[in-house]
Amino acid sequence: MKNIYKPFKVEIVKIEEHSSDVKLFRLQKEKGHFSVNDQGIVFNPGQFVLVSNFGYGEAPFGIASSPFEARYVDILVRRAGCLTKALHQLKKGDQLFLRGPYGNGFPIDFMSGKDVIMVTGGCGIPPMAALTEYIIEKKWKFGRVYLIYGARTPADLLMKDNLEKWDKDIKVILTVDQPDKNWKGHVGMVSKIVKEIKVDPLDAVAAMCGPGPMMDALEYILRPLGVSDRRIFVNMERKMQCGVGKCQHCTVGDKFVCQDGPVFNFDEIDKAWD
Amino acid sequence: MELIIEKKKIKEWLVVLGKDFKVVDTRKKVLPPKQYFFPVKEDLFSFDLKSKKLKTIDQSENILLLISSLNKLEAMTQLDEIMEKPQKDFFYWQKRDKSVLVGIVDESIKVPYGGDLVLEKINQKEYRTWVLNSKGRNLLKDKFFKKVLKPRTINYPSKPNIFKEKLLDSELLAEAVEWSWQSNHKIWNELAEKCLGCGICTYVCPLCHCFSMEDQVSLDNSKCFRCRQWDACTLPRFSQIAGGHNFHKTIKERYYNWYYHKFVRAYRQYGKAQCVACGACKDNCPAGIKIGEVLKEIVKDYKKR
């Protein structure tokens, strides 16, 4: 009988400081590479892992690295509670434990052949980063691709190096709530952004990671563009303990974020009992 | 041909079985049989903080549970299904695989919905045997059981349970419960006033299986245990995430969520409500909430709408 709760050992091979309270951790398996799923990738963009730091507990994190990268996975950790504080004190070479990848991920087969609008804010960048990496690798499969990324201040924008790199292949649109004097991007999730987006609303899909920017993005960007709710996919966050559909913490209506999600069709989940 | 055991021999038979099993009489326990496979609190892993070695803890033992209620036997069948799908819960099955469930029931049985072996009272002195599987068959010792062609049988009717009949139409229950929330039925405000949010209904429920996991470190910082313990969806921090956001802020939402899980989500997931109408929640609720009555009122109003 497989022990679904038993994590495997990984080593921190790199730590990057991305903002005053967010660090990136690169995790490598003790031996060998991460295995490939039936799609030929290490995980589906949007899937997550449960990271254990024994003594402090276990929590879910979206994978931020490329799904084609089998040597390691990257996670972004914001200092929010006890476990994440403890993670921030670790150093390169320290060990952690991992379970997963879990969840469904974005419907990449449905999305291919279409224009894609990704909208996210603050700490919601990891699943979009993985999706962006996937799209860029399979560029010929997709139409026009946009990543709209908002943060509180310019200093809170994460994965800045990647944002620059991605901008060569897709259009990256940045926006902040509180600009500094050097800021050249947008301010707020505003309707002005719509003017920069040229998609065929009947053949476009949107991917969002909420909850922060979700409602504004809907009102000012996706609705004005005419993207139907059925073509919007949302990556959800809930309290999670087991990751395998048993503990009942992460439910949204009759669905489990850990197993049926974390990616849901917006039309379907919008009406669900929370 | 029926297999019969005399009432006075049951004790003796259990003593013999006691050589192979730890025999536990659950008949007077407040907490349901689930506690033996899914304990209130259990250590799953131990982790040596110095050597960084991770060990899986095995607390399973050959255990024989005596269960007197048909409802609770049925609940075990349902809980097995929950812990089996879509993936086996390792720590539950580690214990459950080594166990046998014996029903000793003082009412007449049409169909036993659970257990490995069930003894049914047929007259003042004798019990009839229902063997449900090989685990149960292995418990039969010739010395104590005899074959009888037509034993003297008295009917011991079960107590009428209107709620049990309601459960037969799980679809109606699911629709009614969901409708009651969407249409802002006044009952949820009334219940929010009453409910203490203590979680007792979930602890005594033979089917509730929410849990949380936590690491506990020894005082000398050498060892860590990953524990899992019962949680309750009515407790304030059940849906609260790091940073403080709570997806179910009010007791009204949390209390409704309990019903939603049992009667709506469970119905959609398994085709039946996660309830066996045993009445343990009602009997133990310190606020005196009668869950069966709540559902009766909701269904009545749903039909009238």
Coordinates of all heavy atoms in Angstrom, one line a residue, chain B residues 193-263:
Chain B
E193 N -27.5 31.4 15.9 CA -27.7 31.9 17.3 C -27.5 30.8 18.3 O -26.9 31.0 19.4 CB -29.1 32.4 17.5 CG -29.4 33.7 16.7 CD -28.9 34.9 17.3 OE1 -29.0 35.0 18.6 OE2 -28.3 35.7 16.6
K194 N -27.9 29.6 18.0 CA -27.9 28.5 18.9 C -26.6 27.8 19.0 O -26.1 27.4 20.1 CB -28.9 27.4 18.5 CG -30.3 27.5 19.2 CD -31.0 26.2 18.8 CE -32.4 26.2 19.3 NZ -33.1 25.0 18.8
C195 N -26.0 27.5 17.9 CA -24.8 26.6 17.8 C -23.6 27.2 18.5 O -23.3 28.4 18.4 CB -24.4 26.4 16.3 SG -22.9 25.4 16.2
L196 N -23.0 26.4 19.4 CA -21.8 26.9 20.2 C -20.5 26.8 19.4 O -19.5 27.2 19.8 CB -21.7 26.2 21.5 CG -23.0 26.1 22.4 CD1 -22.8 25.1 23.5 CD2 -23.2 27.5 22.9
G197 N -20.6 26.1 18.2 CA -19.4 25.9 17.4 C -18.3 25.1 18.2 O -17.1 25.3 18.0
C198 N -18.8 24.1 19.0 CA -17.8 23.3 19.8 C -17.3 22.1 19.1 O -16.2 21.6 19.4 CB -18.5 22.8 21.1 SG -19.9 21.7 20.7
G199 N -18.0 21.7 18.0 CA -17.4 20.6 17.2 C -17.8 19.2 17.8 O -17.4 18.2 17.2
I200 N -18.6 19.1 18.8 CA -18.9 17.8 19.4 C -19.7 17.0 18.4 O -19.5 15.8 18.3 CB -19.7 18.0 20.8 CG1 -18.8 18.5 21.8 CG2 -20.4 16.7 21.2 CD1 -19.4 18.8 23.2
C201 N -20.6 17.6 17.7 CA -21.4 16.8 16.7 C -20.5 16.1 15.7 O -20.8 14.9 15.3 CB -22.4 17.7 15.9 SG -21.6 19.2 15.3
T202 N -19.4 16.7 15.4 CA -18.5 16.0 14.4 C -17.6 14.9 15.1 O -17.3 13.9 14.5 CB -17.5 17.0 13.8 OG1 -16.5 17.4 14.8 CG2 -18.2 18.3 13.3
Y203 N -17.3 15.1 16.4 CA -16.5 14.1 17.1 C -17.4 12.8 17.3 O -16.8 11.7 17.2 CB -16.0 14.6 18.4 CG -15.2 15.9 18.3 CD1 -15.2 16.9 19.2 CD2 -14.3 16.0 17.2 CE1 -14.5 18.0 19.0 CE2 -13.6 17.2 17.0 CZ -13.6 18.2 17.9 OH -12.9 19.3 17.8
V204 N -18.6 13.0 17.7 CA -19.4 11.8 18.0 C -20.0 11.2 16.7 O -20.5 10.0 16.7 CB -20.6 12.1 19.0 CG1 -20.0 12.5 20.3 CG2 -21.6 13.1 18.4
C205 N -19.9 11.9 15.6 CA -20.5 11.3 14.3 C -19.6 10.2 13.9 O -18.4 10.3 13.8 CB -20.5 12.4 13.2 SG -21.0 11.8 11.6
P206 N -20.2 9.0 13.5 CA -19.4 7.9 13.1 C -18.8 8.1 11.7 O -18.0 7.2 11.3 CB -20.4 6.7 13.1 CG -21.7 7.3 13.0 CD -21.6 8.7 13.6
L207 N -19.2 9.1 11.0 CA -18.7 9.3 9.6 C -17.8 10.6 9.4 O -17.1 10.7 8.5 CB -19.9 9.4 8.7 CG -20.4 8.0 8.3 CD1 -21.8 8.2 7.6 CD2 -19.5 7.3 7.4
C208 N -18.0 11.6 10.3 CA -17.2 12.8 10.1 C -15.7 12.4 10.2 O -15.3 11.6 11.0 CB -17.5 13.8 11.3 SG -18.8 14.9 10.8
H209 N -14.9 13.0 9.3 CA -13.5 12.6 9.2 C -12.6 13.7 8.9 O -11.5 13.5 8.3 CB -13.4 11.5 8.2 CG -13.9 11.9 6.8 ND1 -15.3 11.8 6.5 CD2 -13.3 12.4 5.7 CE1 -15.5 12.2 5.3 NE2 -14.3 12.6 4.8
C210 N -13.0 15.0 9.2 CA -12.0 16.1 9.0 C -10.8 15.9 9.9 O -11.0 15.4 11.0 CB -12.7 17.4 9.4 SG -14.1 17.9 8.4
F211 N -9.7 16.3 9.4 CA -8.5 16.3 10.3 C -7.5 17.4 9.9 O -7.7 18.0 8.9 CB -7.8 14.9 10.2 CG -7.2 14.5 8.9 CD1 -6.0 15.0 8.4 CD2 -7.9 13.7 8.0 CE1 -5.5 14.6 7.2 CE2 -7.4 13.3 6.8 CZ -6.2 13.8 6.4
S212 N -6.6 17.6 10.8 CA -5.6 18.6 10.6 C -4.2 17.9 10.9 O -4.2 16.9 11.7 CB -5.7 19.9 11.3 OG -5.8 19.6 12.7
M213 N -3.2 18.4 10.4 CA -1.9 17.8 10.7 C -1.0 18.9 11.3 O -1.1 20.0 11.0 CB -1.2 17.3 9.4 CG -2.1 16.2 8.7 SD -1.3 14.9 7.9 CE -0.9 15.7 6.3
E214 N -0.1 18.4 12.2 CA 0.7 19.3 12.9 C 2.0 18.7 13.3 O 2.1 17.5 13.6 CB -0.1 19.7 14.2 CG 0.5 20.6 15.1 CD -0.5 20.8 16.3 OE1 -1.3 21.7 16.2 OE2 -0.3 20.1 17.3
D215 N 3.1 19.4 13.4 CA 4.4 18.9 13.8 C 4.6 19.2 15.3 O 4.3 20.3 15.7 CB 5.6 19.5 13.0 CG 5.7 18.9 11.6 OD1 4.8 18.0 11.3 OD2 6.6 19.3 10.9
Q216 N 5.0 18.2 16.1 CA 5.3 18.4 17.5 C 6.7 18.1 17.8 O 7.2 17.0 17.4 CB 4.3 17.7 18.4 CG 2.9 18.2 18.2 CD 2.0 17.6 19.2 OE1 2.2 16.6 19.8 NE2 0.8 18.3 19.3
V217 N 7.5 19.0 18.4 CA 8.9 18.8 18.6 C 9.2 18.5 20.1 O 8.6 19.1 20.9 CB 9.7 20.1 18.1 CG1 11.2 19.9 18.3 CG2 9.3 20.4 16.7
S218 N 10.1 17.6 20.3 CA 10.4 17.3 21.7 C 11.1 18.5 22.3 O 11.7 19.3 21.6 CB 11.3 16.0 21.8 OG 12.5 16.3 21.1
L219 N 11.1 18.6 23.7 CA 11.6 19.7 24.3 C 13.1 19.9 24.1 O 13.6 21.1 24.1 CB 11.3 19.6 25.9 CG 9.9 20.0 26.3 CD1 9.7 19.8 27.7 CD2 9.6 21.5 25.9
D220 N 13.8 18.8 23.9 CA 15.3 19.0 23.7 C 15.6 19.2 22.2 O 16.8 19.2 21.8 CB 16.1 17.8 24.2 CG 15.6 16.5 23.5 OD1 14.7 16.5 22.7 OD2 16.2 15.4 23.8
N221 N 14.6 19.4 21.4 CA 14.7 19.7 19.9 C 15.5 18.6 19.2 O 16.2 18.9 18.2 CB 15.5 21.0 19.8 CG 15.2 21.7 18.4 OD1 14.1 21.4 17.8 ND2 16.1 22.4 17.9
S222 N 15.3 17.3 19.6 CA 16.0 16.3 18.9 C 15.1 15.5 18.0 O 15.5 14.9 17.0 CB 16.6 15.3 19.9 OG 15.6 14.6 20.6
K223 N 13.8 15.5 18.3 CA 12.8 14.6 17.5 C 11.6 15.4 17.2 O 11.2 16.3 18.0 CB 12.5 13.4 18.4 CG 12.7 12.1 17.6 CD 12.4 10.9 18.4 CE 12.5 9.7 17.5 NZ 12.1 8.5 18.1
C224 N 11.0 15.1 16.1 CA 9.7 15.7 15.7 C 8.7 14.7 15.3 O 9.1 13.7 14.7 CB 10.0 16.7 14.6 SG 8.6 17.1 13.6
F225 N 7.5 14.8 15.8 CA 6.4 13.9 15.4 C 5.4 14.7 14.5 O 5.0 15.8 14.9 CB 5.7 13.3 16.6 CG 6.6 12.4 17.3 CD1 7.3 12.8 18.5 CD2 6.7 11.0 16.9 CE1 8.1 11.9 19.2 CE2 7.5 10.2 17.6 CZ 8.2 10.6 18.8
R226 N 5.1 14.1 13.3 CA 4.0 14.7 12.6 C 2.8 13.9 13.0 O 2.6 12.7 12.8 CB 4.3 14.5 11.1 CG 3.1 15.0 10.2 CD 3.5 15.4 8.9 NE 4.4 16.6 8.9 CZ 5.1 17.0 7.9 NH1 5.0 16.5 6.7 NH2 5.9 18.1 8.0
C227 N 1.8 14.7 13.6 CA 0.6 14.1 14.1 C -0.6 14.5 13.2 O -0.6 15.6 12.6 CB 0.3 14.6 15.5 SG 1.7 14.9 16.5
R228 N -1.6 13.6 13.2 CA -2.8 14.1 12.7 C -3.9 14.0 13.8 O -3.8 13.1 14.6 CB -3.2 13.4 11.4 CG -4.1 12.2 11.5 CD -4.6 11.9 10.1 NE -4.9 10.5 10.0 CZ -5.3 9.9 8.9 NH1 -5.4 10.6 7.8 NH2 -5.6 8.7 8.8
Q229 N -4.8 14.9 13.8 CA -5.8 14.9 14.8 C -7.1 15.3 14.2 O -7.2 16.0 13.2 CB -5.4 15.8 16.0 CG -5.2 17.2 15.6 CD -4.2 17.9 16.6 OE1 -3.7 17.3 17.5 NE2 -3.9 19.2 16.3
W230 N -8.2 14.9 14.9 CA -9.5 15.3 14.5 C -9.7 16.8 14.4 O -9.2 17.5 15.3 CB -10.6 14.7 15.4 CG -10.7 13.2 15.4 CD1 -10.0 12.4 14.7 CD2 -11.7 12.4 16.1 NE1 -10.4 11.1 14.9 CE2 -11.4 11.1 15.8 CE3 -12.7 12.7 17.0 CZ2 -12.2 10.1 16.3 CZ3 -13.5 11.7 17.5 CH2 -13.2 10.4 17.2
D231 N -10.3 17.3 13.4 CA -10.6 18.7 13.3 C -12.1 18.7 13.2 O -12.8 17.7 13.0 CB -9.9 19.3 12.2 CG -9.7 20.8 12.4 OD1 -10.4 21.4 13.2 OD2 -8.8 21.4 11.7
A232 N -12.7 19.9 13.3 CA -14.2 20.0 13.1 C -14.4 21.3 12.2 O -13.9 22.3 12.5 CB -14.9 20.1 14.4
C233 N -15.3 21.1 11.2 CA -15.5 22.3 10.3 C -16.3 23.4 11.0 O -16.4 24.5 10.4 CB -16.2 21.8 9.0 SG -17.7 20.9 9.4
T234 N -16.8 23.2 12.2 CA -17.5 24.2 12.9 C -16.5 25.1 13.8 O -16.9 26.1 14.3 CB -18.6 23.6 13.8 OG1 -18.0 22.6 14.6 CG2 -19.7 23.1 13.0
L235 N -15.3 24.6 13.9 CA -14.3 25.4 14.7 C -13.8 26.6 13.9 O -13.7 26.6 12.7 CB -13.1 24.5 15.1 CG -13.4 23.3 16.0 CD1 -12.2 22.5 16.2 CD2 -14.1 23.7 17.3
P236 N -13.6 27.7 14.7 CA -13.3 29.0 14.0 C -12.2 29.1 13.0 O -12.3 29.8 12.0 CB -13.0 30.0 15.2 CG -13.5 29.3 16.4 CD -13.6 27.8 16.1
R237 N -11.1 28.3 13.2 CA -10.0 28.5 12.3 C -9.9 27.4 11.3 O -8.8 27.2 10.6 CB -8.7 28.5 13.2 CG -8.6 29.8 14.0 CD -7.4 29.8 14.9 NE -6.2 29.8 14.0 CZ -5.0 29.6 14.5 NH1 -4.8 29.4 15.8 NH2 -3.9 29.6 13.7
F238 N -11.0 26.6 11.1 CA -10.9 25.5 10.1 C -10.5 25.9 8.7 O -9.8 25.2 8.1 CB -12.3 24.8 10.1 CG -12.3 23.6 9.3 CD1 -11.8 22.4 9.8 CD2 -12.8 23.5 8.0 CE1 -11.8 21.2 9.1 CE2 -12.8 22.4 7.3 CZ -12.3 21.2 7.8
S239 N -11.0 27.1 8.3 CA -10.7 27.5 6.9 C -9.8 28.8 6.9 O -9.9 29.5 5.9 CB -12.0 27.8 6.2 OG -12.8 26.7 6.1
Q240 N -9.1 29.0 7.9 CA -8.2 30.2 8.0 C -6.8 29.9 7.5 O -6.3 28.8 7.8 CB -8.2 30.7 9.4 CG -7.5 32.0 9.6 CD -7.5 32.5 11.0 OE1 -8.5 32.4 11.7 NE2 -6.3 33.0 11.4
I241 N -6.3 30.7 6.6 CA -5.0 30.5 6.1 C -4.0 31.4 6.7 O -4.3 32.4 7.4 CB -5.0 30.7 4.5 CG1 -5.6 32.0 4.1 CG2 -5.7 29.6 3.8 CD1 -5.5 32.4 2.6
A242 N -2.7 31.1 6.5 CA -1.6 32.0 7.0 C -1.8 33.4 6.5 O -2.1 33.6 5.3 CB -0.3 31.4 6.6
G243 N -1.6 34.3 7.3 CA -1.9 35.7 6.9 C -3.2 36.2 7.5 O -3.5 37.4 7.5
G244 N -4.0 35.2 7.9 CA -5.2 35.6 8.7 C -6.6 35.5 7.9 O -7.6 35.5 8.5
H245 N -6.5 35.4 6.6 CA -7.8 35.4 5.9 C -8.6 34.1 6.2 O -8.0 33.0 6.2 CB -7.6 35.4 4.4 CG -8.9 35.5 3.6 ND1 -9.7 36.6 3.5 CD2 -9.6 34.5 3.0 CE1 -10.8 36.3 2.9 NE2 -10.8 35.1 2.5
N246 N -9.9 34.3 6.5 CA -10.7 33.1 6.8 C -11.9 33.0 5.8 O -12.6 33.9 5.6 CB -11.3 33.3 8.3 CG -11.9 32.1 8.8 OD1 -12.3 31.2 8.1 ND2 -11.9 32.0 10.2
F247 N -11.9 31.8 5.2 CA -12.9 31.6 4.1 C -14.3 31.4 4.7 O -15.3 31.5 4.0 CB -12.5 30.5 3.2 CG -11.4 30.8 2.3 CD1 -10.1 30.5 2.7 CD2 -11.6 31.6 1.1 CE1 -9.0 30.9 1.9 CE2 -10.5 31.9 0.3 CZ -9.2 31.6 0.7
H248 N -14.4 30.9 6.0 CA -15.7 30.8 6.7 C -15.6 31.5 8.0 O -15.4 31.0 9.0 CB -16.0 29.3 6.9 CG -16.2 28.5 5.7 ND1 -16.0 27.2 5.6 CD2 -16.6 28.9 4.4 CE1 -16.3 26.7 4.4 NE2 -16.6 27.8 3.6
K249 N -15.9 32.9 7.9 CA -15.7 33.7 9.1 C -16.8 33.5 10.1 O -16.5 33.5 11.3 CB -15.8 35.2 8.6 CG -14.5 35.7 8.2 CD -14.6 37.3 8.1 CE -13.6 37.7 7.0 NZ -14.0 37.4 5.6
T250 N -18.0 33.3 9.8 CA -19.1 33.2 10.7 C -19.5 31.8 11.1 O -19.3 30.9 10.3 CB -20.3 34.0 10.2 OG1 -20.8 33.3 9.1 CG2 -20.0 35.4 9.9
I251 N -20.1 31.6 12.3 CA -20.6 30.3 12.7 C -21.7 29.9 11.7 O -21.9 28.7 11.5 CB -21.0 30.3 14.2 CG1 -21.4 28.9 14.6 CG2 -22.1 31.3 14.4 CD1 -20.3 27.9 14.6
K252 N -22.4 30.8 11.2 CA -23.5 30.5 10.3 C -23.0 29.7 9.1 O -23.5 28.7 8.7 CB -24.2 31.8 9.9 CG -25.4 31.6 9.0 CD -26.1 32.9 8.7 CE -27.0 32.8 7.5 NZ -27.5 34.1 7.1
E253 N -21.9 30.3 8.5 CA -21.3 29.6 7.3 C -20.7 28.3 7.7 O -20.8 27.3 7.0 CB -20.1 30.5 6.8 CG -20.5 31.8 6.1 CD -19.4 32.7 6.0 OE1 -18.9 33.3 7.0 OE2 -18.9 32.9 4.9
R254 N -20.0 28.2 8.9 CA -19.4 27.0 9.3 C -20.4 25.9 9.6 O -20.2 24.7 9.2 CB -18.4 27.2 10.5 CG -17.2 28.1 10.1 CD -16.2 28.0 11.2 NE -16.6 28.6 12.5 CZ -16.5 29.9 12.8 NH1 -16.0 30.7 11.9 NH2 -16.9 30.3 14.0
Y255 N -21.5 26.3 10.3 CA -22.5 25.3 10.6 C -23.2 24.8 9.4 O -23.4 23.6 9.2 CB -23.5 25.9 11.6 CG -24.3 24.8 12.3 CD1 -23.7 23.8 13.0 CD2 -25.7 24.8 12.2 CE1 -24.4 22.7 13.6 CE2 -26.5 23.7 12.7 CZ -25.8 22.7 13.4 OH -26.6 21.7 14.0
Y256 N -23.5 25.7 8.4 CA -24.1 25.3 7.2 C -23.1 24.3 6.4 O -23.5 23.3 5.8 CB -24.4 26.5 6.3 CG -24.8 26.0 4.9 CD1 -26.0 25.3 4.7 CD2 -24.0 26.3 3.8 CE1 -26.4 24.9 3.4 CE2 -24.4 25.9 2.5 CZ -25.5 25.2 2.3 OH -25.9 24.8 1.1
N257 N -21.8 24.6 6.5 CA -20.8 23.8 5.8 C -20.9 22.4 6.2 O -20.7 21.4 5.5 CB -19.4 24.4 6.0 CG -18.4 23.7 5.2 OD1 -18.5 23.6 4.0 ND2 -17.4 23.2 5.8
W258 N -21.2 22.2 7.5 CA -21.3 20.8 8.0 C -22.4 20.0 7.3 O -22.2 18.9 6.9 CB -21.5 20.9 9.6 CG -21.5 19.5 10.2 CD1 -20.4 18.7 10.3 CD2 -22.5 18.9 10.9 NE1 -20.7 17.5 11.0 CE2 -22.0 17.6 11.4 CE3 -23.8 19.2 11.2 CZ2 -22.8 16.7 12.1 CZ3 -24.6 18.3 12.0 CH2 -24.1 17.1 12.4
Y259 N -23.6 20.7 7.2 CA -24.7 20.1 6.5 C -24.4 19.9 5.1 O -24.7 18.9 4.5 CB -26.0 21.0 6.7 CG -26.6 20.9 8.0 CD1 -26.1 21.5 9.1 CD2 -27.8 20.2 8.2 CE1 -26.6 21.5 10.4 CE2 -28.4 20.1 9.5 CZ -27.8 20.7 10.5 OH -28.4 20.7 11.8
Y260 N -23.7 21.0 4.5 CA -23.4 20.9 3.1 C -22.5 19.7 2.8 O -22.8 19.0 1.8 CB -22.7 22.2 2.6 CG -22.5 22.2 1.1 CD1 -23.4 22.8 0.3 CD2 -21.3 21.7 0.6 CE1 -23.2 22.8 -1.1 CE2 -21.1 21.6 -0.8 CZ -22.1 22.2 -1.6 OH -21.9 22.2 -3.0
H261 N -21.6 19.5 3.6 CA -20.7 18.3 3.4 C -21.5 17.0 3.5 O -21.4 16.2 2.6 CB -19.5 18.3 4.5 CG -18.6 17.1 4.3 ND1 -17.8 16.7 5.3 CD2 -18.5 16.2 3.3 CE1 -17.2 15.6 5.0 NE2 -17.6 15.3 3.8
K262 N -22.2 16.9 4.5 CA -22.9 15.6 4.8 C -24.0 15.3 3.7 O -24.1 14.1 3.3 CB -23.5 15.6 6.2 CG -22.5 15.6 7.3 CD -23.1 15.4 8.6 CE -22.4 14.3 9.4 NZ -21.3 13.6 8.9
F263 N -24.7 16.3 3.4 CA -25.9 16.0 2.6 C -25.8 16.5 1.1 O -26.6 16.0 0.3 CB -27.2 16.6 3.2 CG -27.4 16.1 4.6 CD1 -27.0 16.8 5.7 CD2 -27.8 14.8 4.8 CE1 -27.2 16.3 7.0 CE2 -28.0 14.3 6.1 CZ -27.7 15.0 7.2

